[in-house]
Amino acid sequence: MNRPVPSVLKVLRGNPGKRRLNPDEPHPEATDVQPPSDLSPEALARWESDAPKLLAVGLLTEVDVNVFAAYCQTSADYWKAVEKVRQFGEVVVVNATRHDKDGKPKNGTPAQSPWVKMRDASLARMQSLAVEFGMTASARSRVHVTGRAKKSAAQRFQASAPKLRAVK
């Protein structure tokens, strides 16, 4: 069964099903939301990268903070696992009893690295959460940007930049 789609995404997509929108759906303010204080540094970097983009189109509000924080932390976990798989490989040796002078096992049983499972699970969670915010290619293909979200990057930058005045 498909999950319900928030009205803001239906409107951005042009309401393709032409179904009546829920007039009683809550519409929390898309204010300048702050990240939770317990995000890892990597997750905070993801927040600082993606939150302004979602705020600009009204997809991130104060009630979405925890779900978006989970997305950011899951993204950080994914990239950590990717790095560990690069470092140790997808297959590791377990139950080794003998090692060479460099510490590499001489015997043992090959097994899938636990980092592979963590990487794959994090990717699945990250993709699931990204869809909630229209952050995947297929989700974006259904979004039609209108109004304030249609401003160019330069216009958005100018609107958010501090106003400078001439000094005499």
Side-chain angles (χ1 to χ4, degrees), residues 58-77:
L59 291 175
L60 181 59
T61 69
E62 66 269 9
V63 297
D64 303 315
V65 166
N66 290 329
V67 175
F68 185 63
Y71 165 79
C72 293
Q73 190 60 58
T74 301
S75 175
D77 295 344

Side-chain angles (χ1 to χ4, degrees), residues 94-158:
V94 297
N95 301 326
T97 57
R98 294 187 341 218
H99 297 80
D100 65 16
K101 62 180 177 165
D102 296 325
K104 296 191 186 231
K106 286 182 147 186
N107 65 351
T109 307
Q112 184 181 48
S113 169
W115 290 108
V116 170
K117 185 174 181 179
M118 293 170 73
R119 178 197 63 194
D120 295 347
S122 293
L123 179 60
R125 283 192 311 269
M126 189 171 65
Q127 287 174 326
S128 174
L129 291 167
V131 168
E132 296 292 324
F133 293 100
M135 295 172 65
T136 66
S138 62
R140 273 193 316 280
S141 71
R142 297 183 297 263
V143 173
H144 302 273
V145 179
T146 60
R148 69 179 176 163
K150 208 170 194 174
K151 291 181 182 176
S152 72
Q155 291 169 323
R156 288 192 305 273
F157 174 76
Q158 287 174 340

Side-chain angles (χ1 to χ4, degrees), residues 18-83:
K18 305 299 181 211
R19 294 191 180 106
R20 187 171 154 269
L21 299 177
N22 179 0
D24 299 322
E25 180 177 334
H27 295 282
E29 285 291 314
T31 59
D32 187 26
V33 296
Q34 298 301 313
S37 60
D38 58 347
L39 284 179
S40 71
E42 296 83 4
L44 183 59
R46 171 63 58 195
W47 178 288
E48 291 170 349
S49 168
D50 292 349
K53 298 167 192 168
L54 295 173
L55 283 165
V57 292
L59 291 175
L60 181 59
T61 69
E62 66 269 9
V63 297
D64 303 315
V65 166
N66 290 329
V67 175
F68 185 63
Y71 165 79
C72 293
Q73 190 60 58
T74 301
S75 175
D77 295 344
Y78 168 76
W79 288 108
K80 178 181 179 180
V82 165
E83 183 56 36

